[in-house]
Amino acid sequence: MTSDTRAKMVAGAADLMSRRGVTATSMREVVRHTGTPRGSIGHHFPRGKQQLIEDALVFAGKQVSGPLEHLVQSRGAIAGLRAFIALWRQTLEKSKFQAGCPVLAVAVEQYVNDATEKDGAPDEAAQRHLLDLADGVFADWQRIMFTALRREGVAPARARRLAALVIASTEGTVAMCRAARSAQPLDDVRQELELVLSSALAKQAEVPRA
Amino acid sequence: MTSDTRAKMVAGAADLMSRRGVTATSMREVVRHTGTPRGSIGHHFPRGKQQLIEDALVFAGKQVSGPLEHLVQSRGAIAGLRAFIALWRQTLEKSKFQAGCPVLAVAVEQYVNDATEKDGAPDEAAQRHLLDLADGVFADWQRIMFTALRREGVAPARARRLAALVIASTEGTVAMCRAARSAQPLDDVRQELELVLSSALAKQAEVPRA
DNA sequence: TCCTGACTATGACGAACGTCATAACTTCAC
DNA sequence: GTGAAGTTATGACGTTCGTCATAGTCAGGA
């Protein structure tokens, strides 16, 4: 149903975005990089680059949240944290620290399309929508972590804060690893995050009814 | 000595990079945004945009590390953490969540200059240098935190990990706040980081000699 | 067989990019 | 005043960008 060409374009765009960023990823390079026909761009993405970015964003989000959710439900919060970090470590090392997180790229950059704005006003609605999608992906990952912590007895407010800490620090660390061309920061952060989570879980175990 | 025009260009470039990212920040817009003469670009930055980015990067780094180092030395690690986060909160809110961290932008993107590469080979030395500079800024901020923790009795390895956690999670949170157009993640993360640091400091106070 | 729809190929358009060359303007020692 | 050096002004060059229009290919049902 969904075209194979289209899927390859979306995946390729996500990969390129994670390496070069949103603005530096051109549609021409996406088709070059994926071996897909250039003429199909307008067909599969009538709204152009904006649409391709949007699709790549939710694609990347699901690619992480799918395995993460499954693993967290079967093996708990700490295992989820380890898997989350191991996943990014794999992405970094397999690409020799070239690839990062496309969602973070959208959250850091600002995509403005010069071509479709003849009038002076930049289309800030499009940029808002991209940020909304990126925020949605982050919120989704956070929700998975939050639910796991809740299920293991952590109070709601604390679980929300811990989930935010896990997602934010991991994303930041991925960028730092890219800058350092080393996975060491990821190891350091993982170690500390495990301490934090296990201590939060232990504390709730001490006071089963309060 | 150092030209006023030049300084304005560097500061303007750092600001634009933090809002739009590296690639989306054009030299023409830098001079437009700062009211500086376009003809001075080649004069003050003979190596072109690459040089401007480099200068903006170390400028942004010092702008943070300066106040941070001073404050950490006089009031300690926890106060430093609070100031570090408050600083980013101010940047976010004053710009209505448009500005972020230019160093993170460099760490996430990949700047390639199409104009100066007639031959097929992309100048990866230039990109490596930018990553080195970004890594240096992160390392500098980390060193400040590390030194403060050491001075307050935290063991070396632990201090290194905690410093990495603080910098990485703050950077990641800044991006998340930008995506959410809200400072809430910053508050959540700050709260948890304070818990982690103060518990690490308390632990060292319990065992003064070991 | 032919038609119809989905998909692909290819070239063109206008705009913006980084860079460079050249000329004009300031400033100040001599 | 007169150079000279340090700046600023301005236009041009070649490239790449996103998008669009047009023509081509290729299924599978009538």
Side-chain angles (χ1 to χ4, degrees):
Chain A
M1 181 201 130
T2 337
S3 163
D4 184 55
T5 300
R6 205 195 125 102
K8 273 206 287 189
M9 282 178 172
V10 171
D15 180 52
L16 280 176
M17 281 162 57
S18 85
R19 293 170 187 263
R20 323 191 179 236
V22 180
T23 311
T25 295
S26 72
M27 316 227 64
R28 286 170 152 92
E29 194 158 16
V30 169
V31 306
R32 220 172 319 169
H33 188 261
T34 55
T36 47
R38 204 189 101 200
S40 310
I41 294 178
H43 182 72
H44 291 298
F45 307 93
R47 281 189 7 260
K49 184 175 179 179
Q50 170 87 19
Q51 186 178 5
L52 177 58
I53 296 172
E54 292 168 6
D55 286 15
L57 203 44
V58 321
F59 166 80
K62 282 181 188 162
Q63 212 174 14
V64 172
S65 67
L68 183 63
E69 184 139 38
H70 172 270
L71 203 141
V72 140
Q73 275 173 4
S74 62
R75 308 234 307 273
I78 301 254
L81 164 69
R82 290 203 181 110
F84 189 57
I85 290 189
L87 190 149
W88 289 117
R89 183 197 198 99
Q90 203 175 0
T91 299
L92 285 165
E93 289 180 342
K94 281 212 175 179
S95 68
K96 294 189 199 145
F97 300 97
Q98 300 238 44
C101 175
V103 190
L104 186 63
V106 171
V108 163
E109 290 186 54
Q110 176 176 12
Y111 173 63
V112 258
N113 193 337
D114 303 316
T116 47
E117 303 167 1
K118 313 303 182 188
D119 44 358
D123 190 2
E124 66 180 46
Q127 159 71 1
R128 255 205 310 267
H129 187 218
L130 279 184
L131 287 184
D132 281 339
L133 287 178
D135 182 43
V137 172
F138 286 143
D140 195 32
W141 296 350
Q142 212 168 319
R143 174 194 54 81
I144 297 174
M145 208 65 208
F146 169 82
T147 307
L149 291 170
R150 282 294 291 142
R151 189 164 32 221
E152 296 173 37
V154 180
R158 183 91 206 275
R160 191 201 67 231
R161 292 195 300 267
L162 287 176
L165 177 70
V166 167
I167 306 301
S169 57
T170 305
E171 288 289 313
T173 310
V174 167
M176 282 179 59
C177 287
R178 219 182 87 102
R181 275 88 90 219
S182 154
Q184 163 115 24
L186 211 48
D187 262 336
D188 291 345
V189 166
R190 177 191 52 79
Q191 210 166 325
E192 288 299 326
L193 285 182
E194 283 187 21
L195 275 181
V196 172
L197 287 201
S198 57
S199 121
L201 294 179
K203 187 168 143 200
Q204 294 313 118
E206 284 172 14
V207 203
R209 313 268 174 273
Chain B
M1 184 200 124
T2 338
S3 165
D4 184 56
T5 300
R6 207 195 123 100
K8 274 207 287 189
M9 283 177 172
V10 171
D15 180 52
L16 279 177
M17 281 162 57
S18 85
R19 295 170 186 264
R20 322 191 182 240
V22 180
T23 312
T25 295
S26 72
M27 316 228 62
R28 287 170 152 92
E29 192 158 18
V30 169
V31 304
R32 221 173 323 178
H33 187 260
T34 55
T36 46
R38 205 190 99 200
S40 309
I41 294 178
H43 182 72
H44 290 299
F45 305 93
R47 279 186 13 258
K49 186 176 179 180
Q50 169 88 19
Q51 186 177 6
L52 177 59
I53 296 172
E54 292 169 5
D55 286 15
L57 204 44
V58 320
F59 167 80
K62 283 182 188 162
Q63 212 175 14
V64 171
S65 66
L68 183 62
E69 183 139 38
H70 172 270
L71 203 140
V72 141
Q73 276 173 3
S74 63
R75 307 234 307 274
I78 300 256
L81 165 70
R82 291 204 180 109
F84 189 56
I85 289 190
L87 190 150
W88 289 118
R89 185 200 195 96
Q90 202 175 359
T91 299
L92 285 165
E93 289 180 341
K94 281 212 174 180
S95 68
K96 293 190 199 143
F97 300 98
Q98 299 238 41
C101 175
V103 190
L104 186 63
V106 171
V108 164
E109 290 186 56
Q110 176 177 14
Y111 172 62
V112 245
N113 193 338
D114 304 315
T116 46
E117 303 168 3
K118 311 305 182 188
D119 44 359
D123 189 3
E124 67 181 43
Q127 160 71 0
R128 255 205 311 265
H129 188 218
L130 279 183
L131 287 184
D132 281 339
L133 287 178
D135 182 43
V137 172
F138 286 143
D140 196 33
W141 296 350
Q142 213 169 320
R143 174 194 54 82
I144 296 175
M145 208 63 209
F146 169 81
T147 307
L149 291 170
R150 282 294 291 142
R151 190 162 35 221
E152 296 173 39
V154 181
R158 182 92 206 275
R160 192 200 67 231
R161 291 195 300 267
L162 287 175
L165 178 69
V166 166
I167 306 302
S169 56
T170 305
E171 288 289 313
T173 311
V174 167
M176 282 180 57
C177 286
R178 220 182 87 101
R181 277 86 91 219
S182 155
Q184 163 115 24
L186 211 48
D187 262 336
D188 291 346
V189 167
R190 177 191 52 79
Q191 210 165 326
E192 289 298 327
L193 285 181
E194 284 187 21
L195 276 181
V196 172
L197 287 201
S198 57
S199 120
L201 294 179
K203 187 169 144 200
Q204 293 314 116
E206 284 172 14
V207 203
R209 313 268 175 272

